């Protein structure tokens, strides 16, 4: 029994700490690029060895590599020390290779280690290297006008220079925010920060099963090993849940039906549309059909939701709508991108035979079938 | 206020279901003695859900206003209360209180549920399919009447009296659960959160009871709760509520439990419970039809498997069917719709319409099951569970659940490797949500296997469960 636990704990330690990358790289000194960053004046200042970046909407921090002797394409880790992020900001490292853009979201942790691959071995092909900090208004309507992001230093490094366990634990403890797609998957496929945790613990659990079979110990020891494995993943999960709760509390400090700022705008647009429809004696009845012309994106879907008291539908192509909707009592709402159809209708007599423009202002065009 | 209305809604459903259970018991003269325990509460709740959906489905055929619907629901509630009172008078009832470990586990589930409730308490309905379809349809009925026909684009454009919804073909069950509290309050969404959490907690407590009846030690029961409440995507569906997949997950698990219960103690009550759960499956999602079909198929396969002659015939017919389908193909026009099966296309009435082609989604599947941390480490147990199906000797009802689960996994793999559903693997959507539908049942079977592994017992389940149910 003691042999089992001794071996089991030893193998768990090895599984969590070993670097499985067998490729040996020449020793690379880290490149500190903190002093190579360039920002629009007044949006970055330094105090007590800490940089303070002011983000109003978004902030671009260029990394100018002129004069850097090392080849950064050899490096596979982007490190930000003492990063103090906000739960409603997104930070990414961006660059171009032969005009093709690449973007890697930064791991949101106090010591941020983000794995990178420049997708080229030729430094001359890399251009436009910069950090982009964006105030993320995906959730909530209560965002601050200005966010302040703090960090002490920025560098390019190589995983060979760092303890695998240190990089991994930082990533496992990093903040993985809730987003609209969170009902489909816990982490996005572009930022699978728990992959190495699951892989390492899976290997350990399979080894414990083998040890159990070889050493023929009591079954409860194997079950306790599973309990330990689960506790480790549960710890990192609960840590992230704590951060996600903070994110939700910041985004939704009170009960609201608004999902975000765009949603709030669409609510007010719907109110204006209802008023315009009312002025034209178009009542919210099932007989009176309304079609919003536009793509099935978030804005139009929310508009559709807010116009729910009408018999309303959404379709992208005006031409298709005019040729398929045979029912006479139909009104078409043209907003934003689809607004040009109002002119389109005016230009083509064949459509003017089918429909007439009954309202047109700078925000809205309403067409009614004849 | 949110809490009160939410709790009242749960009590209303419990009342409906309790009345139905008692009425069935009185009618079938099955039992003169009713035991009020976790099984009774959970089954009553889900039967209440079924009764409410069926009642509202019926009212959809009548030109009723919201006030009439509210009045009818209030009348049905009053009638249910009367049935419960009569039932209690005519039958002896005994409240079964949980023991010390039961209280601890119930408290643990309660704490976990409260934590989830607090996590999502201020979150509006952010799930796209939910506010467009599940809650969206409920809003349409509130605005235009419950009997309003809802159609997809092609039908809507030629109709003069229907409403539009992009997914009009989805079953109405969940939308009707959203609809009911909207009759009394505008802010119904937050009340639904309690419904989700209660349904989930009640299902989990029933599963724990059955695992305990198998002889699971206390620590394994605690581990079960820990696993359930720290499996990331499972909990995401309880915080970001609004989707139907978790309902299918709960109902499917309770189908398994009800099936095992029925074969432990063949009462009409238990048969009714099983039929009620099976009937609930297609009320929530179209996939429910697939799970229902697979469950019935598993039952038939296991029943006829013991007869060697029939088994030989069955294997022969299956081989001919497969060879014929793959080489010539089947094409039938039935009253239910088209049935086309060949090596290029599958059309099954209005339910499935897809081209057949191999898509290698192994990497996506690995990401979905492991690397995205949707399911923590649970799917590591799958090979062991499947191996245990082959190795151990099980009785017929257990065999049916195993065949069902194996067929479900095979169907899932076929769906994503060979049909157009692979696009949902590529965008990491339904690949995870269909897994979610199977996850609670899988966890129950996994912990059942662990308990049997720990105890080396293969038939104890039958005895202990029989005793538990008989008492």
């Amino acid at each position: 029994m003691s042999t089992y636990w001794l071996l089991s704990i030893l193998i768990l330690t090895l599984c969590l700490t070993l670097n499985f990358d067998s490729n040996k790289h020449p020793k690379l000194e880290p490149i500190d690029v903190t002093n190579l960053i360039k920002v629009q004046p007044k949006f970055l200042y330094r105090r007590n060895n800490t940089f303070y970046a002011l983000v109003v909407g978004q902030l671009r921090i260029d990394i100018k590599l002129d004069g850097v002797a090392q080849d950064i394409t050899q490096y596979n880790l982007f490190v930000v020390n003492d990063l103090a992020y906000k739960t409603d900001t997104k930070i990414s490292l961006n660059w171009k290779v032969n005009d093709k853009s690449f973007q890697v979201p930064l791991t949101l942790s106090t010591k941020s280690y983000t794995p990178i691959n420049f997708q080229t071995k030729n430094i001359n092909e890399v251009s436009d290297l910069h950090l982009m900090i964006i105030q993320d208004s995906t959730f909530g309507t209560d965002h601050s006008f200005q966010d302040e992001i703090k960090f002490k230093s920025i560098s390019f490094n190589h995983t060979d220079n760092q303890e695998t366990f240190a990089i991994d634990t930082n990533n496992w403890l990093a903040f993985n925010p809730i987003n609209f797609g969170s009902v489909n998957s816990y982490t996005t496929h572009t930022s699978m920060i728990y992959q190495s945790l699951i892989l390492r613990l899976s290997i350990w659990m399979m080894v414990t099963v083998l040890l159990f079979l070889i050493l023929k110990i009591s079954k409860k020891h194997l079950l306790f090993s599973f309990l330990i494995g689960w506790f480790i993943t549960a710890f990192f999960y609960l840590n992230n849940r704590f951060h996600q709760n903070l994110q939700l509390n910041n985004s939704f400090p009170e009960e609201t039906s608004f999902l975000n700022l765009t949603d709030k705008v669409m609510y007010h647009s719907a109110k204006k549309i209802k008023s315009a429809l009312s002025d034209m004696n178009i009542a919210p009845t099932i007989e009176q059909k309304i079609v919003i012309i536009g793509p099935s994106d978030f804005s139009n879907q929310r508009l559709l939701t807010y116009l729910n008291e009408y018999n309303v539908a959404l379709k992208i192509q005006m031409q298709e709508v005019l040729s398929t909707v045979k029912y006479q009592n139909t009104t078409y709402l043209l907003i934003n991108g689809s607004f040009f159809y109002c002119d389109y209708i005016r230009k083509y007599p064949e459509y003017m035979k089918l429909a007439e423009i009954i309202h047109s202002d700078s925000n809205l065009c309403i067409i009614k079938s004849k | 206020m949110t809490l009160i209305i939410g709790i009242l809604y749960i009590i209303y459903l419990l009342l409906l279901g309790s009345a139905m259970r008692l009425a069935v018991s009185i009618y079938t003269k099955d039992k003169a003695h009713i035991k009020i325990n976790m099984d009774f509460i959970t089954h009553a709740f889900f039967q209440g859900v079924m009764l409410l959906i069926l009642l509202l489905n019926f009212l959809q055929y009548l030109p009723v206003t919201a006030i009439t619907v509210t009045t009818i629901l209030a009348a049905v509630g009053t009638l249910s209360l009367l049935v419960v009172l009569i039932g209690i008078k005519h039958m002896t009832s005994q409240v079964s209180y949980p023991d010390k470990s039961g209280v601890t586990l119930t408290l643990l589930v309660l704490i976990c549920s409260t934590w989830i409730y607090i996590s999502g308490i201020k979150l509006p309905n952010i799930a796209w399919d939910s506010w467009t379809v599940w809650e969206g349809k409920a809003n349409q009925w509130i605005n235009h009447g419950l009997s309003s026909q809802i159609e997809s684009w092609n039908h809507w454009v030629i109709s003069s009296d229907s409403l539009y919804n992009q997914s009009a073909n989805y079953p109405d069950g969940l939308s009707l659960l959203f609809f009911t509290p909207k009759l009394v309050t505008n802010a119904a969404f937050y009340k639904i959160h309690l419904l989700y959490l209660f349904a989930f907690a009640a299902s989990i407590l029933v599963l724990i009871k059955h695992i305990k009846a198998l002889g699971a030690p206390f620590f394994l029961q605690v581990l079960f709760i820990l696993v359930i409440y720290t499996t990331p995507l499972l909990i995401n569906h309880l915080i970001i509520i609004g989707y139907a997949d978790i309902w299918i997950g709960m109902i499917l698990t309770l189908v398994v439990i009800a099936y095992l219960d029925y074969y432990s103690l063949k009462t009409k009550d238990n048969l009714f419970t099983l039929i009620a759960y099976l009937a609930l499956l297609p009320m929530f999602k179209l996939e429910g039809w697939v799970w229902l079909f697979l469950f019935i198929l598993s039952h038939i396969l296991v029943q006829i498997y013991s007869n060697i002659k029939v088994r030989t015939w069955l294997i022969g017919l299956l081989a001919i069917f497969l060879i014929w389908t793959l080489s010539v193909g089947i094409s039938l026009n039935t009253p239910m719709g088209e049935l086309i099966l060949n090596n290029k296309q599958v059309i099954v009435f209005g339910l499935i319409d897809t081209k057949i082609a191999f898509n290698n989604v192994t990497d996506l599947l690995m990401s979905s099951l492991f690397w995205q941390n949707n399911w923590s480490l649970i799917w590591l147990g799958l090979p062991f569970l499947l191996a245990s199906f082959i190795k151990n000797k099980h009785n017929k009802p257990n065999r049916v659940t195993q065949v069902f689960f194996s067929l479900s996994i095979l169907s899932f793999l076929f769906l994503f490797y060979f049909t157009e559903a692979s696009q949902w693997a590529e965008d990491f959507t339904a690949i995870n949500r269909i897994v979610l539908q199977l996850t609670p049942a899988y966890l129950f079977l996994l912990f059942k296997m662990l308990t049997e592994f720990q105890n080396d017992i293969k038939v104890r389940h039958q005895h202990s469960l029989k005793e538990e149910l008989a008492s």
Side-chain angles (χ1 to χ4, degrees):
Chain A
M1 182 196 84
S2 52
T3 317
Y4 169 79
W5 281 110
L6 195 70
L7 285 171
S8 196
I9 298 298
L10 182 71
I11 293 165
L12 175 62
T13 313
L14 288 174
C15 280
L16 291 176
T17 54
L18 274 184
N19 183 355
F20 294 127
D21 182 9
S22 56
N23 295 331
K24 287 288 161 207
H25 302 276
K27 178 82 179 162
L28 290 168
E29 287 299 321
I31 311 172
D32 190 327
V33 292
T34 317
N35 293 322
L36 303 176
I37 56 176
K38 297 276 180 289
V39 186
Q40 209 179 329
K42 295 181 184 171
F43 285 93
L44 187 80
Y45 64 94
R46 189 176 186 174
R47 195 170 62 204
N48 300 332
N49 283 333
T50 301
F51 285 90
Y52 295 79
L54 300 178
V55 187
V56 183
Q58 63 178 48
L59 180 70
R60 180 189 162 107
I61 301 178
D62 286 300
I63 302 169
K64 299 287 180 194
L65 294 172
D66 311 337
V68 174
Q70 296 100 317
D71 177 3
I72 61 156
T73 60
Q74 302 290 314
Y75 292 78
N76 63 6
L77 207 57
F78 184 72
V79 184
V80 183
N81 282 313
D82 292 318
L83 173 67
Y85 58 89
K86 300 277 179 185
T87 54
D88 60 351
T89 49
K90 278 182 181 169
I91 314 174
S92 62
L93 182 69
N94 303 263
W95 70 92
K96 280 183 181 170
V97 174
N98 295 333
D99 289 333
K100 190 178 175 190
S101 297
F102 292 92
Q103 184 181 65
V104 178
L106 253 57
T107 305
L108 296 175
S109 182
T110 311
K111 181 116 181 169
S112 170
Y113 293 104
T114 306
I116 50 167
N117 180 349
F118 277 99
Q119 307 287 340
T120 178
K121 293 291 168 201
N122 184 354
I123 180 65
N124 296 323
E125 289 178 351
V126 178
S127 61
D128 200 23
L129 184 65
H130 66 275
L131 279 170
M132 184 61 90
I133 310 173
I134 298 174
Q135 283 182 313
D136 181 13
S137 55
T138 308
F139 283 148
T141 53
D142 224 35
H143 300 283
S144 53
F145 170 72
Q146 175 183 295
D147 276 319
E148 196 173 63
I149 305 293
K150 289 186 267 184
F151 57 89
K152 276 201 170 151
S153 66
I154 300 174
S155 58
F156 286 99
N157 209 329
H158 198 279
T159 42
D160 285 355
N161 296 336
Q162 301 283 331
E163 289 295 329
T164 306
F165 187 63
I167 297 172
D168 279 345
T169 44
N170 262 293
N171 287 348
W172 301 337
L173 287 168
F175 171 49
N176 165 48
I178 279 188
N179 52 59
F180 276 125
S182 290
V183 278
N184 293 320
S185 56
Y186 185 59
T187 52
T188 63
H189 62 279
T190 53
S191 175
M192 289 193 276
I193 54 175
Y194 303 109
Q195 181 171 355
S196 71
L197 175 71
I198 300 295
L199 179 65
R200 287 163 190 276
L201 283 174
S202 299
I203 294 170
W204 176 66
M205 279 185 153
M206 291 300 124
V207 173
T208 57
V209 173
L210 279 178
L211 281 178
F212 162 77
L213 293 172
I214 295 164
L215 298 174
K216 293 188 170 53
I217 50 146
S218 163
K219 290 166 181 173
K220 69 179 178 195
H221 294 289
L222 183 65
L223 292 178
F224 272 110
S225 304
F226 294 165
L227 186 68
I228 291 172
W230 193 273
F231 264 126
I232 296 172
T233 56
F235 169 76
F236 291 110
Y237 167 69
L238 292 173
N239 168 70
N240 191 50
R241 273 244 50 86
F242 172 75
H243 286 103
Q244 287 185 334
N245 279 359
L246 288 180
Q247 177 202 3
L248 293 180
N249 283 338
N250 287 341
S251 304
F252 301 103
E254 57 192 28
E255 273 192 18
T256 172
S257 59
F258 295 127
L259 312 189
N260 53 30
L261 290 166
T262 309
D263 188 26
K264 203 171 179 177
V265 169
M266 295 326 290
Y267 170 77
H268 290 294
S269 295
K271 266 178 96 173
K272 283 179 193 163
I273 290 169
K274 283 178 198 173
S275 165
L277 291 171
S278 173
D279 291 346
M280 282 169 283
N281 293 324
I282 296 172
T285 60
I286 204 160
E287 292 76 24
Q288 176 61 63
K289 287 183 177 180
I290 292 175
V291 184
I292 301 166
I293 306 296
S296 181
D297 56 16
F298 178 81
S299 304
N300 284 332
Q301 284 287 356
R302 290 306 287 177
L303 184 65
L304 185 87
T305 301
Y306 287 125
L307 292 174
N308 207 299
E309 64 203 69
Y310 292 85
N311 185 2
V312 62
L314 172 64
K315 203 70 184 171
I316 188 165
Q317 290 292 343
M318 183 69 193
Q319 292 94 324
E320 190 192 335
V321 172
L322 284 174
S323 57
T324 54
V325 178
K326 305 293 179 204
Y327 187 59
Q328 295 288 303
N329 216 4
T330 307
T331 306
Y332 307 102
L333 301 177
L334 308 174
I335 54 161
N336 302 332
S338 57
F339 194 74
F340 72 93
Y341 280 120
C342 223
D343 291 334
Y344 189 86
I345 296 286
R346 280 193 192 100
K347 278 180 203 164
Y348 291 89
E350 62 264 38
Y351 289 124
M352 288 304 286
K353 282 181 202 161
L354 296 167
E356 63 176 322
I357 296 163
I358 55 170
H359 175 92
S360 177
D361 64 34
S362 56
N363 299 311
L364 176 69
C365 170
I366 302 177
I367 298 172
K368 196 145 178 26
S369 61
K370 283 184 178 171
Chain B
M1 199 59 187
T2 297
L3 263 176
I4 294 166
I5 295 178
I7 290 168
L8 284 176
Y9 191 20
I10 292 166
I11 292 171
Y12 179 78
L13 291 167
L14 279 171
L15 196 61
L16 252 57
S18 301
M20 191 189 248
R21 286 184 74 75
L22 289 169
V24 168
S25 287
I26 294 167
Y27 180 72
T28 59
K29 294 179 181 144
D30 221 11
K31 281 183 190 172
H33 177 79
I34 286 287
K35 192 173 182 184
I36 313 291
N37 57 13
M38 204 55 229
D39 278 7
F40 181 90
I41 294 169
T42 308
H43 298 332
F45 174 78
F46 278 94
Q47 282 165 26
V49 168
M50 185 187 73
L51 189 63
L52 178 71
I53 292 170
L54 289 175
L55 179 65
L56 292 173
N57 274 156
F58 173 71
L59 293 177
Q60 283 180 309
Y61 290 100
L62 308 171
V64 284
T65 60
I67 295 165
T68 316
V69 175
T70 314
T71 313
I72 292 170
L73 290 183
V76 171
T78 314
L79 188 69
S80 300
L81 185 63
L82 277 173
V83 173
V84 169
L85 292 174
I86 293 167
I88 289 170
K89 201 178 171 188
H90 281 75
M91 302 163 94
T92 53
S93 61
Q94 180 203 340
V95 179
S96 171
Y97 295 103
D99 57 12
K100 230 181 204 177
S101 65
V103 171
T104 313
L105 295 167
T106 309
L107 269 175
L108 199 57
V109 168
L110 199 67
I111 290 166
C112 292
S113 304
T114 311
W115 164 65
I116 293 170
Y117 181 71
I118 292 167
S119 299
I121 194 167
K122 291 169 194 157
L123 193 63
N125 191 352
I126 65 165
W128 184 293
D129 280 5
S130 181
W131 53 259
T132 54
V133 185
W134 305 117
E135 195 190 8
K137 276 166 126 181
N139 287 333
Q140 287 176 299
W141 289 322
I142 285 292
N143 285 320
H144 300 277
L146 183 62
S147 53
S148 307
Q149 191 70 23
I150 297 177
E151 300 283 6
S152 55
W153 177 261
N154 289 340
H155 290 102
W156 183 78
V157 290
I158 53 170
S159 157
S160 60
D161 58 356
S162 65
L163 297 167
Y164 164 81
N165 193 291
Q166 61 182 26
S167 300
N169 60 330
Y170 283 15
D172 288 346
L174 185 57
S175 298
L176 291 170
L177 287 186
F178 272 105
F179 169 79
T180 309
K182 283 177 189 285
L183 290 167
V184 288
T185 171
N186 288 328
F189 181 71
Y190 299 99
K191 284 82 186 171
I192 299 286
H193 201 176
L194 278 182
L195 204 68
Y196 269 76
L197 291 176
F198 179 82
F200 192 75
S203 311
I204 297 310
L205 288 172
V206 166
L207 295 187
I208 290 167
K209 185 169 168 270
H210 279 72
I211 291 169
K212 190 181 175 185
L214 283 164
F218 181 68
F219 98 89
L220 210 54
Q221 296 171 52
V222 174
L223 180 62
F224 182 69
I225 295 176
L226 180 72
V227 167
I228 288 278
Y229 282 99
T230 53
T231 296
L233 201 59
L234 209 52
I235 300 311
N236 268 16
H237 274 253
L238 291 173
I239 294 173
I240 308 168
I241 60 147
Y243 270 44
D245 304 276
I246 199 150
W247 284 93
I248 293 283
M250 292 186 274
I251 295 162
L252 209 49
T253 318
L254 291 166
V255 164
V256 170
I257 293 287
Y259 190 83
L260 293 175
D261 282 356
Y262 175 66
Y263 278 93
S264 291
L265 207 62
K266 286 195 172 180
T267 63
K268 285 172 187 164
D269 267 3
N270 283 352
L271 180 63
F272 176 75
T273 303
L274 174 63
I275 292 170
Y277 281 123
L278 287 171
L280 267 174
L281 281 171
M283 290 185 194
F284 277 84
K285 283 206 95 172
L286 291 174
E287 293 95 300
W289 286 109
V290 178
W291 305 136
L292 177 63
F293 168 74
L294 289 180
F295 203 87
I296 294 168
L297 180 69
S298 309
H299 173 79
I300 294 168
L301 285 177
V302 172
Q303 292 301 323
I304 61 176
Y305 189 78
S306 51
N307 187 323
I308 297 170
K309 205 174 169 185
V310 176
R311 192 195 314 170
T312 315
W313 269 101
L314 187 79
I315 293 168
L317 283 173
L318 190 68
I320 293 167
F321 172 78
L322 280 175
I323 293 165
W324 184 270
T325 306
L326 294 173
S327 55
V328 183
I330 294 167
S331 181
L332 294 170
N333 255 324
T334 74
M336 289 183 289
E338 254 186 328
L339 179 73
I340 297 175
L341 302 173
N342 57 47
N343 59 4
K344 290 195 177 91
Q345 194 181 19
V346 171
I347 297 177
V348 182
F349 315 130
L351 298 172
I352 304 166
D353 182 352
T354 179
K355 288 190 174 70
I356 301 294
F358 178 73
N359 306 289
N360 191 355
V361 293
T362 308
D363 284 347
L364 304 169
L365 205 60
M366 287 300 286
S367 292
S368 160
L369 295 181
F370 294 100
W371 314 142
Q372 288 188 308
N373 196 25
N374 291 324
W375 312 107
S376 194
L377 300 164
I378 62 170
W379 294 104
L380 280 180
L382 183 63
F384 297 98
L385 181 67
L386 295 176
S388 78
F389 293 171
I390 301 161
K391 191 187 164 194
N392 298 332
K393 282 192 173 178
H394 299 276
N395 59 14
K396 269 189 182 177
N398 276 303
R399 272 276 172 248
V400 171
T401 61
Q402 291 163 359
V403 170
F404 165 72
F405 186 73
S406 309
L407 285 177
S408 302
I409 294 287
L410 282 175
S411 306
F412 167 77
L413 294 175
F414 175 79
L415 188 74
F416 286 99
Y417 273 97
F418 290 97
T419 75
E420 288 165 359
S422 60
Q423 75 184 63
W424 298 321
E426 280 155 24
D427 62 16
F428 291 102
T429 54
I431 193 167
N432 293 319
R433 296 215 308 275
I434 290 182
V435 171
L436 175 73
Q437 294 177 19
L438 292 171
T439 300
Y442 164 69
L443 284 174
F444 170 68
L445 294 175
L446 188 70
F447 273 77
K448 190 168 167 290
M449 179 195 77
L450 287 176
T451 306
E452 286 167 352
F453 164 76
Q454 153 100 5
N455 295 345
D456 263 341
I457 305 168
K458 294 182 181 73
V459 286
R460 185 169 165 179
H461 177 192
Q462 294 307 310
H463 294 303
S464 50
L465 207 60
K466 248 181 192 170
E467 282 166 21
E468 177 80 18
L469 290 163
S471 68

